[in-house]
Amino acid sequence: MSEKTIAIIGAGAWGKNLVRNFSQLNALKTICDPSSSIRRQMAESYPEAVLTDDPTTVCNDPDIQGVVIAAPAVHHFALASQALNAGKHVFVEKPLALVYEDGAELVRLAAEKGKILFAGHILQYHPAVIRLKELIAKGTIGRIEYIFSHRLSLGKIRREENILWSFAPHDISIILSLAGEEPNYIDSVGNNFLHARIADVTMTNLKFPSGIGAHIFVSWLNPFKEQKLVIVGSEGMLVFDDTLPVEQKLAHYPHAINWQHGLPIPHKAEMIAIDLKDIWEEPLRAECRAFLNAIASGEKPLTPGEEGLMVLKILQLSQQSLEEKERAHPTPLALQPSPEMKTTSQSNGFVHPTAIVDEHVEIGDGTKIWHFSHVLGTTEVGTNCNIGQNCVIGPKVSIGKGCKIQNNVSVYQGVTLEEYVFCGPSMVFTNILNPRAAIRKMDQVRPTLVKRHATLGANCTIICGVTIGAYAMIGAGAVVTHDVPDHALMVGNPARQIGWVSRHGERLDLPVHGIGTAQCPVTGDRYELNGATLTAVEESNHAG
């Protein structure tokens, strides 16, 4: 592909490497990142690239064929689904999503749209892995008996995910591809040192129906870096150490076990270094090239969405194993929640064991509150709501029924959500216009009202004191500084209205201001625009 048709969302610590490679492959058109400092750095290094902070701009660009997502994992599902719905091919860095259901939805959506969904499992494109698979296929080490991987370093320490989700996906991907089957046994154990509920070290054991065993040891609290994969076969062993020079990365140990008088006697042989120079290419370059080739050919890549989904399944089952052990062995007394807090689930709802719900909180039936979230006192949460991971709700907040609050959202005092409001990942509410750390200003809280069925996109910011109209849709990354009419479609910083949406969330063929009528393309509902006001004149049962 010689045309510049690739956009990259997220140009931080890892994303900048993707930017470099797609630029060198002459495919980079657009770089999208919410950080103004990162955009400035990118503009200096890649003056030919288009810079934006708005994913919607990327998705609306007809020249963009492929979108590469290297944003934090909490945003992967929202950004990938937005890009797929816009008709783009999508490359998602690991993990594909944070829950299996979201990953399955991405796979389904890619198939429905006829687009490539590419899982960013870079080790599958590493020359050492390619060569070791060739050696195994030739029978160099006989039948695979056991696999283990160590991925250890000091940092980068994250707070949006634990070490299992941060380090283990690559190793799970390789082990699954070597075993050629799903495990029938998964057990994980971990330790938390820096945060009461975020594992810093984990060990995961896998067993497969064929008899292959595997373990994965990951840590970001190790004094030195180690990235080692060992495959033990019936007739020898292969070792891939990615910290060594190219000529030493892959080694064959033709060790053997000989039986004498009924006893196993190990026979050690000289290590044989495997030459990779004939196939050497930077793994990330090879991975980026594979995405471009998949777009050009329409054929599934080595790491399609289905492969990413299988890795996600193993991650989720491993996480469940960790959490079951946490419940079986209570947190030490020093880390217990204070006595005035409660962490038990409601009678007809669900509160994850790592979440905290204060006293004097009302939670409606069917509501779910997920990992590491905190609902503060005198807060009301309606029925059938879903509050994601790492959210803070309250104090003195009212949330209507059926609301969906995605990961990393804080709904502060002064904010009211009516029924069926959607808050996208990491969107922001403010409650004081000009806060200062050293000056208490809670007496200056400005109320914010989000009316029924409104959608607030990922990473958008709602400045305090505004009202978001019913059924309005705020684009990802938008900054809303004034009241928003019912059904308005808002994008940009500061947010500006670019159109109207139906109750179903579909864009209507109407100007921002004027007179006219339009029909929802999904439900058939009719809408009438009179000046700057949109009203529904016919409503079907599909609109909700």
Side-chain angles (χ1 to χ4, degrees):
M1 180 183 295
S2 59
E3 298 178 356
K4 296 184 177 182
T5 58
I6 298 298
I8 297 175
I9 301 178
W14 182 248
K16 65 184 180 184
N17 297 315
L18 287 158
V19 169
R20 171 177 57 82
N21 275 278
F22 278 108
S23 176
Q24 292 171 353
L25 290 168
N26 199 37
L28 178 68
K29 182 184 180 187
T30 301
I31 303 169
C32 177
D33 197 286
S35 168
S36 58
S37 63
I38 288 178
R39 292 198 304 276
R40 283 195 299 271
Q41 294 169 14
M42 292 294 109
E44 292 174 2
S45 300
Y46 305 95
E48 74 284 358
V50 176
L51 275 299
T52 182
D53 64 349
D54 184 7
T56 301
T57 300
V58 171
C59 292
N60 288 342
D61 186 343
D63 293 333
I64 296 297
Q65 293 185 30
V67 176
V68 179
I69 297 170
V74 68
H75 305 308
H76 285 185
F77 172 70
L79 291 170
S81 56
Q82 182 184 8
L84 287 168
N85 277 312
K88 312 299 185 186
H89 302 283
V90 177
F91 175 137
V92 187
E93 271 299 339
K94 57 84 182 169
L96 189 63
L98 288 181
V99 294
Y100 182 84
E101 291 76 13
D102 285 350
E105 173 61 17
L106 292 179
V107 171
R108 185 202 66 78
L109 189 58
E112 176 186 290
K113 301 292 184 180
K115 297 299 175 182
I116 297 295
L117 178 60
F118 187 102
H121 295 153
I122 188 173
L123 285 186
Q124 295 285 3
Y125 301 92
H126 197 297
V129 172
I130 293 171
R131 182 56 52 85
L132 74 82
K133 286 183 178 180
E134 293 173 353
L135 293 171
I136 291 170
K138 290 194 302 184
T140 302
I141 61 170
R143 182 184 65 254
I144 295 177
E145 304 279 5
Y146 175 59
I147 307 166
F148 74 83
S149 67
H150 290 181
R151 190 167 297 275
L152 318 171
S153 71
L154 186 60
K156 179 181 181 182
I157 298 167
R158 302 180 186 272
R159 281 295 162 259
E160 70 273 13
E161 60 189 13
N162 64 22
I163 185 64
L164 175 72
W165 288 79
S166 185
F167 278 23
H170 293 307
D171 303 290
I172 293 172
S173 171
I174 295 301
I175 290 171
L176 290 178
S177 69
L178 291 175
E181 57 186 346
E182 290 186 41
N184 57 359
Y185 173 88
I186 299 174
D187 181 69
S188 288
V189 62
N191 289 102
N192 315 338
F193 303 107
L194 303 180
H195 187 286
R197 296 186 178 93
I198 298 178
D200 302 296
V201 178
T202 65
M203 172 73 80
T204 300
N205 288 304
L206 308 174
K207 295 181 181 180
F208 294 85
S210 63
I212 295 173
H215 85 241
I216 302 166
F217 178 36
V218 290
S219 170
W220 52 37
L221 290 179
N222 207 61
F224 54 86
K225 187 172 185 177
E226 181 175 332
Q227 296 177 353
K228 187 174 291 185
L229 176 73
V230 176
I231 302 99
V232 177
S234 58
E235 299 174 21
M237 306 171 187
L238 290 169
V239 178
F240 166 36
D241 188 339
D242 206 16
T243 64
L244 296 178
V246 171
E247 60 273 12
Q248 301 174 32
K249 284 184 182 294
L250 183 61
H252 174 212
Y253 289 82
H255 301 332
I257 302 296
N258 298 319
W259 291 82
Q260 296 180 7
H261 309 295
L263 297 175
I265 307 297
H267 172 73
K268 292 185 178 181
E270 290 294 321
M271 180 269 287
I272 304 169
I274 306 299
D275 188 9
L276 302 175
K277 291 180 181 178
D278 60 322
I279 60 169
W280 181 256
E281 181 181 23
E282 180 187 353
L284 186 56
R285 176 69 56 83
E287 184 181 38
C288 294
R289 195 190 306 279
F291 181 51
L292 297 176
N293 290 341
I295 293 175
S297 67
E299 297 180 359
K300 279 195 174 183
L302 180 62
T303 55
E306 291 83 354
E307 196 259 354
L309 184 61
M310 179 53 61
V311 171
L312 182 57
K313 179 179 180 180
I314 304 305
L315 282 169
Q316 192 159 307
L317 290 171
S318 300
Q319 181 68 34
Q320 290 175 11
S321 178
L322 285 173
E323 292 169 1
E324 287 169 1
K325 293 177 177 62
E326 288 293 326
R327 288 193 290 271
H329 300 88
T331 310
L333 183 61
L335 299 178
Q336 292 280 8
S338 58
E340 67 272 14
M341 296 181 178
K342 59 182 180 181
T343 59
T344 56
S345 61
Q346 303 303 302
S347 56
N348 293 304
F350 170 79
V351 178
H352 191 272
T354 63
I356 296 175
V357 178
D358 288 3
E359 293 290 348
H360 311 298
V361 169
E362 295 185 14
I363 298 177
D365 289 350
T367 286
K368 297 178 181 179
I369 302 173
W370 293 97
H371 310 61
F372 311 118
S373 289
H374 186 182
V375 184
L376 286 80
T378 60
T379 290
E380 296 180 3
V381 182
T383 58
N384 298 311
C385 293
N386 193 80
I387 297 174
Q389 300 180 35
N390 198 35
C391 294
V392 177
I393 312 294
K396 301 178 182 178
V397 163
S398 176
I399 296 176
K401 68 179 181 180
C403 289
K404 187 170 184 179
I405 300 174
Q406 299 284 65
N407 299 346
N408 300 316
V409 174
S410 295
V411 185
Y412 297 121
Q413 179 179 344
V415 177
T416 298
L417 307 183
E418 293 186 351
E419 62 187 33
Y420 297 105
V421 170
F422 177 89
C423 296
S426 299
M427 62 80 48
V428 176
F429 290 105
T430 68
N431 60 359
I432 295 172
L433 191 60
N434 54 346
R436 291 290 196 192
I439 303 172
R440 180 172 176 79
K441 293 190 175 185
M442 290 306 293
D443 58 336
Q444 299 178 23
V445 168
R446 297 188 179 192
T448 297
L449 173 62
V450 184
K451 292 187 175 181
R452 66 189 189 282
H453 294 268
T455 293
L456 311 179
N459 292 299
C460 73
T461 299
I462 311 299
I463 302 299
C464 58
V466 306
T467 296
I468 308 296
Y471 301 100
M473 182 168 288
I474 312 301
V479 179
V480 177
T481 59
H482 54 78
D483 290 349
V484 174
D486 294 353
H487 294 278
L489 174 61
M490 310 288 291
V491 301
N493 179 11
R496 67 190 188 284
Q497 186 177 356
I498 63 168
W500 303 92
V501 294
S502 69
R503 289 168 55 120
H504 204 75
E506 300 296 324
R507 189 164 184 177
L508 300 172
D509 186 16
L510 288 169
V512 174
H513 300 285
I515 296 175
T517 60
Q519 194 172 43
C520 175
V522 173
T523 66
D525 294 348
R526 292 181 59 247
Y527 296 84
E528 184 176 278
L529 178 64
N530 188 358
T533 303
L534 186 75
T535 55
V537 293
E538 287 184 10
E539 300 176 0
S540 73
N541 292 330
H542 298 290

